[in-house]
Amino acid sequence: MPTYTLKINKELVTVTADSDTPILWILRDELNLVGTKFGCGIAQCGACTIHIDGKAMRSCQLQVSAIDKEEITTIEGLSKDGIHPLQDAWKAVDVPQCGYCQAGQIMTAASFLKENPTPSTQEIREAMHGNLCRCASYNRIEKAIAVAVEKMS
C-alpha cells in the first residue's frame, strides 16, 4: 500500500492506505478525527464536508491519491478552541437537534463566508442548499449564519 503525507489541520501526518480510500475514512479510522461524519456516501448530503485549501469539499468521494500538497481542514481544525464565530453562533441560536449534520453545515458555511462575508438571506440559502439536515433545522442554521456574519463584520 502507498504512503501519503497529508497536511491536516496545519500538521503533517503520514498514512498508509489504498489509493482509492476516501479521505473521510483516513480522517475517521486512521486519525481519529471523527467530527467529519459519514452520511450518504455519494457526496450529496454534506455531512462529510471538509475544506481543501479553504474550499468546502465532500470527503466521502475524495480519494487520498487526489490530494497532493493541498491543506485539509476538518471541523476539529476550524478553530483551536471551538470558538469560531460560526461555532459560537450555532450555540447562541441552539441549532443542533441530533447534531449529526452540524460539522458539515458549519464547514460549508465557513467556506462560503470566506468568499462572501456579507451575504443576503437568499445567498445563505443558496450556499447551504446542498447540506441536508434530517431534523429540518434549516431556519436555525440560516439564523446562526446571519448571527455569525454580524460577529465577523
Side-chain angles (χ1 to χ4, degrees):
M1 271 194 281
T3 299
Y4 300 92
T5 299
L6 306 169
K7 190 170 186 183
I8 301 175
N9 298 332
K10 301 188 188 311
E11 293 183 22
L12 289 177
V13 297
T14 302
V15 296
T16 301
D18 289 327
S19 61
D20 62 349
T21 302
I23 289 293
L24 172 66
W25 301 119
I26 300 292
L27 296 172
R28 292 184 60 80
D29 294 348
E30 301 299 323
L31 303 174
N32 201 32
L33 294 170
V34 295
T36 306
K37 305 295 188 216
F38 174 81
C40 66
I42 57 171
Q44 296 299 304
C45 73
C48 69
T49 302
I50 59 172
H51 292 174
I52 303 293
D53 285 343
K55 302 277 186 196
M57 300 278 295
R58 307 295 167 86
S59 64
C60 71
Q61 290 290 304
L62 181 61
Q63 296 178 356
V64 67
S65 59
I67 303 297
D68 185 24
K69 294 182 181 0
E70 296 88 355
E71 185 168 342
I72 299 168
T73 306
T74 68
I75 190 71
E76 293 90 348
L78 187 63
S79 168
K80 185 177 180 180
D81 300 318
I83 56 169
H84 186 279
L86 280 164
Q87 292 167 311
D88 284 344
W90 241 249
K91 294 174 206 163
V93 175
D94 196 25
V95 173
Q97 286 187 39
C98 81
Y100 199 83
C101 72
Q102 300 309 304
Q105 299 277 1
I106 290 170
M107 294 303 283
T108 297
S111 177
F112 165 66
L113 292 179
K114 277 187 178 180
E115 293 180 22
N116 185 352
T118 56
S120 67
T121 300
Q122 186 59 35
E123 289 170 323
I124 292 171
R125 285 182 186 148
E126 289 171 11
M128 301 305 294
H129 179 73
N131 283 70
L132 302 180
C133 174
R134 292 180 186 194
C135 301
S137 294
Y138 299 112
N139 291 333
R140 287 189 284 181
I141 290 167
E142 184 179 302
K143 183 177 180 181
I145 295 169
V147 166
V149 166
E150 289 177 23
K151 289 181 180 189
M152 295 168 82
S153 42

